[in-house]
Amino acid sequence: MDVLKHKCFLEELLFWTIKYEFPQKMVTFLLNMLPDQDYKIAFTKTFVQHYAFIMKTLKKSHESDTMSNRIVHISVQLFSNEELARQVTEECQLLDIMVTVLLYMMESCLIKSELQDEENSLHVVVNCGEALLKNNTYWPLVSDFINILSHQSVAKKFLEDHGLLVTWMNFVSFFQGMNLNKRELNEHVEFESQTYYAAFAAELEACAQPMWGLLSHCKVRETQEYTRNVVRYCLEALQDWFDAINFVDEPAPNQVTFHLPLHRYFAMFLSKAVKCQELDLDTILPDQEMLMKLMIHPLQIQASLSEIHSNMWVRNGLQIKGQAMTYVQSHFCNSMIDPDIYLLQVCASRLDPDYFISSVFERFKVVDLLTMASQHQNTVLDSEHERSMLEGALTFLVLLLSLRLHLGMTDDEILRAEMVAQLCMNDRTHSSLLDLIPENPNPKSGIIPGSLSFESVLSAVADFKAPVFEPGGSMQQGMYTPKAEVWDKEFDPVMVILRTVYRRDVQSAMDRYTAFLKQSGKFPGNPWPPYKKRTPLHPSYKGLIKLLHCKTLHIVLFTLLYKILMDHQNLSEHVLCMVLYLIELGLENSPEQESDEEESAGGQERCHDSWFPGSNLVSNMRHFINYVRVRVPETAPEVKREPPASTSSDGLASSQSSRRKSLQRENSGTAQVFSLVAERRKKFQEIINRNTSEANQVVRPKTSMKWSAPGATPQLTTAILEVKESILSLLIKLHHKLSGKQNSYYPPWLDDVDVLIHPEIPRYSHGDGMTAVERILLKAAVQSRMNKRIIEEICRKVTPPVPPKKISSAEKKTLDKEERRQKARERQQKLLAEFASRQKSFMETAMDVESPDADIAMEVATSEQHVSEAIYDCVICGQSGPSTEDRPTGLVVLLQASSVLGQCRNSTEPKKLPTTEEEQIYPWDTCAALHDVRLTTLQRYFKDSSCLQAVSIGWEGGVYVQTCGHTLHIDCHKSYMESLRNDQVLQGFSVDKGEFTCPLCRQFANSVLPCYPGNNVERSIWQSHSNKCMQDLVQEVEDLQEQLGTFPVSISSETNLSKEMESVMKDIKSTTQKKYTDYSKSPGSPDNDFLFMYSVARTNLELELVHRGGNLCSGGASTAGKRSCLNQLFHVLAMHMRLYSIDSAYNPWRKLTQPMQDKNSELISEELPEVPVLYRDVSSLLLIQILTMPQPLHKEHFTCIIKVLFTLLYTQALAALSVKCSAEDRMAWKESGALKKNTSSGEKSWEVLLGHVISELSKGKIYEEGETEELTVVNPDSVERYLQQFCLPFLRITSLLQHHLFGGDLPSCQEDEEFTVLASCLGLLPSFQSAHQFTSASCLDWPVPAFDMVSQWCSELASFADRHPDQVKALLIQEPKWDLPRLLQLPENYNTIFQYYHRKTCTVCTKVPKDPAVCLVCGTFVCLKGLCCKQQSYCECVLHSQNCGAGTGIFLLINASVIIIIRGHRFCLWGSVYLDAHGEEDRDLRRGKPLYICKERYKVLEQQWVSHTFDHINKRWGPHYNGL
């Protein structure tokens, strides 16, 4: 690092810019002059000259993040230009400077490596705990380096410069072996270090990314020289590393580092050399000894992965699992695990196969387990870890032998395999798939994963599942799911195992595979992972096949098959599965076929250990092994027999003591013990001593003796086992064992010879263990005639029964566990069934969901006049019983204020969300606004108390009551609330506000509605039609209204029931805000309460009508029917309404049923008159009448009230119609009506009545005001249609009411016959006439002569008209035609909304809000969380939700594209209704994809708003503390 000498002002400027850590203004100033070419070159050279100084300043800086960004801001402008970069490289030694600066930078944080030989190690590594690595301070320099290596000309210089390569390998070796993990054997670590983040980031950014950059320039034959250079210096660095850590042949135990960048450089350049440069692999590979050393550490990592997953590293804390997961994670795997496995594949293909296989089992510590004896002692592994380590070792071998990522697959095949593996684990969204496919981590290398091939492969392997909304409320994104043929042919469990970060994903893939097979009918049971054919091996790696054909592996496979058959402990189905997989791999990849005869003769002299004659699996499979000599503990059951003469012996479990012996006895006459470990030593020795004369020397003393297991070696003795099996016979017996039947295997070719010619039969491609065994035996028979003969022979002999299973205590435990689980499951099923039947009976009693058999029961009850009480189940104490006055039962209900009804508009075209200044929305035409105006006008001209009974309120801020249908004792509920209050863990609802979740179904609720004591069947008793005449009924109704005191539950006696009814009434009142309940001019007047109470009933009926789609055509008990609590609600309201006596003079009933005597008394009095009957809302009158009668009501009285009210409604319709006609039409109707007046059915003809109304109203000044809007065609049909439409809303409300009070289903019908069906259902139609001559007037049933009544009602209007002629028409009730409530329509493209709103200023504070939001109900623009618009500690969104939706607000957050719901004091994120082209949300607009409206989701949102189910469906609620 030379001293800086400044020669010009630019250098001085840059120096101070660096000194002050790149102030933004200076950076901008220096960059602004870059367009000048001379300046650009001069500036770049100066920048390079100061590079070391930049590095020093960066290291000292406290704000290294900001500084890094600014450095890169400059350097990216300079080094991205290839011409400039090349020039600076040539003239200023840019590459030398960069590499040297990086080297110096890392040198400041080196520590001694503790890998291998702690005391004498000379190797140094970076310390991952240092700030330099932890904070990624090095990234600007590394990113510059990667940037310049992306230029072909610069990279070429780098790859040709030997000195630079040496320095760079030196730099990389600082990371070799960093972040060493030592396994904790005694105590759990006190402090879990998180340095592994830094280590993985450093290897990826400082080593792997430059490596990928260099690799991208080694794609063609001409670049062979570069690869040779890199490989050469890489190997030199590796040799230095082995020497520095004193490595001989055994890795130190209980240590692992995941960081071997030198190994990975070596591997990746080898791979490139073979794949792209057609280099001969052997010319660049080192000697055997080096290969043996090279394989040790990557193999150590694979074994450690298995140890970590077997919980052997659990005392090191969670971070070690984190490392194991990061190592295979999608952003790291192709720079870490893939090169490691590839390197092991290369070593395996070049080393002695027996040596390699025994090394694997030794590294995985399962050598001692591989013995034929039923007991063994493992000196290096606890028995609880044996099974999973054995599984790990076998799975690793399967991976090693099956993966072809670097051994012959093309890039497109790799992409396809990766994609299939990810999709098989889970359905994926497009963005997560892009993220999960391992990509080249160097951004400059030009392979963009989103390229064309990605999309085409995706469409080839996956189907798109459009985003749907699941009933559970979770929002689905658009997902890709594997096509059926992918599951059928391409599902590759090996690839899935390689790519799973979490082990549960492997299970998930298998579950999905199982489901596919069941669904497609290919296999009903639990399948095993399918065997998948592999891409052919590249010729350079043919040596890998030798692993499958070596005696050591065959002995291991034989031993394991035998152990599984004999039920030895610590073996699992997974072990068997992997063993079979390896056998099948061996059969698929057999070496060139030798003839059967020659094999059997020529194999003799090699058979020194009498295990197997040769190394070919095909012939070894049929080789019978008679006796095996095993070393066992003296306690083992095998120690009894004397050995027969010829034995093969198996010392796979030999201990240290037997190792030496076995080797010294090599040439003695007895058969020696075959030991995996000894074999490995011997092979190693041969290689080491190849050139010396002492080839027959015994193993030299191990350097690593000090690591042998402490304690005495267990006492082992030799026993002889009689085996008499071959691999083939073991397989056939296994088939019998798996099927549980004797002789279950029958060679398929005996029936059908074709099987041998076309062995690829689909029947064998999916299935369980039996299928796998059948497939293997078929392949063995196809490959050799002798195998075929031997299989037939074995099958002919009747096989002896499999030994009975001795159950070890551990297995007994698992069996007990299984049994216990089974019993628990059965218990659970019983309980659930009981619950279900209870719920059903409960539903039938309390909820009136009348099934046909319930109806029969009712009829029986009626005939016997036997009255049974309704029985309720309490979901807390589980007892059933009637609701009594002392111990009332209640329904779990949720009370919420709602303004949904007020949002109805009388146009069918829904309003759009404004996206330009012109499109503003004004709320004048909403239902709520019009009702408001009407009430105010009435109050101006008429007596207040009578106004408050002429309308309903609750269009805005009405109280909606809904229930989940479960009941509980009210005292149980109180204790339940107490327990919730003491349990403060529960967040999400506020117990103090009375909120809770239903104890049974967990639905959100906030009150309990008492069930009125009484019976369930009474309704049917009253349904019998009586023959009393109309006049008598009218009189009875009047009398009943007079007897106020006869409420069945006397109010004076304070029973529990009446207290509860009062408390629930208080709840109902407090649910909505004061402004929505107080409409009277004199505050606190009883009329107000009266109005509020019957309006609650009206709100609930109207909302149910909306939920049914605005009409009753569908009929039936709707879904709301099951959960309706209107019946109970009515009782509560009725009880409170009866408290207010109606002065009989003002009783509306009288006005409807008796002609008044004295007409003038009203005019004289001073005060305002009563509201004329024709101005009163008939539905409101209905509710007033019903709720002021003693409950339960008789059906005949109900019908009577309806008939009387219908006459009034009809008259209102005629009056409204008469105002709409032109003067000539009026005259015509008047005359034609007068002509028919005296006919018999005059009272039931609309013409007559219309004529009468016109003539009566003409007496006042009603028709004089201005010209009227005219009905288009006034012919009889259109008049009839008008009258029916006018009366329908009333008939609908009444039918619903009747349905809830008296039961009985609603009939379903076509829209055009709704009127007639409802009228006959309500008993208005005496006998159902044929439709063509039907007129609405035939439903009329006048209690007193019609013309007198009509005249009286009209005279009220006439007298009003004399005083206020301008208001008469405005107050006449017009035909109310409301459309269903809708949210605002949103534009197709999200950009439209974003562009308009994200710069829009707030109307309150005139600033552009930081978080703008817009209300989807009314289109108001608000500031989310904006303190500027806060009023009395309420932020604007919360305030708006109270004003617009009485506590419910739906807001679209402009900058996040998500919708939030505010409900009272809670809020939740609902999700987004805008999705990208792949059906995914883009929350917070992070990905910046174009978004389009998802109509289905928006419909669901609207549906939840209208049905008031936000609380039930969305689960994640939190308090907003008025801060939104």
Side-chain angles (χ1 to χ4, degrees), residues 544-772:
L544 193 59
I545 300 297
K546 290 187 306 193
L547 282 194
L548 290 162
H549 298 279
C550 73
K551 285 187 191 174
T552 311
L553 182 67
H554 299 169
I555 295 172
V556 170
L557 295 176
F558 181 86
T559 307
L560 287 171
L561 282 173
Y562 180 79
K563 287 174 82 67
I564 291 167
L565 190 65
M566 303 311 277
D567 287 318
H568 290 182
Q569 60 195 33
N570 279 343
L571 297 163
S572 62
E573 191 177 78
H574 185 75
V575 170
L576 176 58
C577 181
M578 292 294 123
V579 167
L580 295 180
Y581 211 98
L582 286 167
I583 295 177
E584 190 157 1
L585 273 169
L587 290 173
E588 285 278 317
N589 301 292
S590 50
E592 276 36 87
Q593 199 76 51
E594 307 157 48
S595 77
D596 291 330
E597 285 63 46
E598 175 188 277
E599 247 176 56
S600 49
Q604 281 309 310
E605 88 276 41
R606 292 163 63 197
C607 188
H608 61 269
D609 54 11
S610 61
W611 269 94
F612 287 110
S615 61
N616 186 345
L617 178 63
V618 182
S619 52
N620 281 354
M621 278 181 86
R622 58 174 179 266
H623 181 75
F624 266 82
I625 288 168
N626 295 317
Y627 295 98
V628 173
R629 175 180 300 158
V630 289
R631 315 270 313 168
V632 289
E634 283 168 342
T635 51
E638 284 89 350
V639 190
K640 291 195 180 62
R641 296 187 214 91
E642 279 303 301
S646 112
T647 64
S648 33
S649 44
D650 130 299
L652 289 131
S654 69
S655 67
Q656 302 246 331
S657 60
S658 67
R659 276 183 195 164
R660 300 270 150 58
K661 281 193 209 131
S662 65
L663 286 172
Q664 283 152 2
R665 284 201 322 224
E666 187 151 349
N667 301 325
S668 58
T670 54
Q672 106 283 8
V673 176
F674 177 85
S675 146
L676 265 184
V677 183
E679 284 292 300
R680 201 174 77 74
R681 294 256 173 283
K682 193 170 74 187
K683 289 280 172 10
F684 188 73
Q685 213 47 41
E686 280 170 14
I687 290 165
I688 305 280
N689 306 331
R690 187 162 290 156
N691 308 328
T692 59
S693 55
E694 311 143 322
N696 55 356
Q697 195 186 40
V698 180
V699 174
R700 59 178 172 179
K702 265 187 16 204
T703 48
S704 51
M705 264 322 270
K706 60 180 172 194
W707 287 314
S708 69
T713 331
Q715 280 304 303
L716 290 181
T717 88
T718 307
I720 301 289
L721 273 185
E722 183 176 9
V723 180
K724 298 204 165 149
E725 297 285 0
S726 66
I727 292 183
L728 285 177
S729 70
L730 287 173
L731 283 172
I732 291 171
K733 286 183 181 170
L734 264 172
H735 189 280
H736 300 169
K737 180 173 177 171
L738 289 170
S739 68
K741 292 205 278 289
Q742 285 297 309
N743 303 331
S744 59
Y745 182 71
Y746 180 72
W749 55 85
L750 296 178
D751 293 340
D752 177 10
V753 185
D754 285 355
V755 179
L756 295 172
I757 309 155
H758 313 286
E760 297 303 317
I761 305 178
R763 157 173 110 98
Y764 289 123
S765 52
H766 307 285
D768 53 12
M770 285 157 46
T771 322

Side-chain angles (χ1 to χ4, degrees), residues 905 910-923 1383-1387 1389-1398 1400 1413-1421 1452 1454 1474 1498:
R905 297 173 185 273
K911 287 270 185 276
K912 291 191 169 69
L913 178 75
T915 47
T916 59
E917 286 304 330
E918 294 77 60
E919 302 176 356
Q920 292 315 321
I921 294 180
Y922 303 103
L1383 293 175
L1384 298 174
Q1385 254 195 325
L1386 296 179
N1389 199 323
Y1390 189 69
N1391 199 29
T1392 320
I1393 297 182
F1394 185 75
Q1395 292 307 338
Y1396 176 61
Y1397 283 106
H1398 102 118
K1400 188 173 158 75
V1414 61
C1415 169
L1416 293 181
V1417 177
C1418 67
T1420 308
F1421 182 68
L1452 172 63
I1454 304 299
Y1474 279 96
Y1498 199 45

Side-chain angles (χ1 to χ4, degrees), residues 1108 1110-1116 1292 1306-1312 1314:
R1108 286 169 177 272
N1111 58 33
L1112 294 180
C1113 297
S1114 54
R1292 286 176 186 145
L1306 293 165
S1308 54
C1309 57
Q1310 300 301 309
E1311 273 190 39
D1312 49 357
E1314 193 181 0

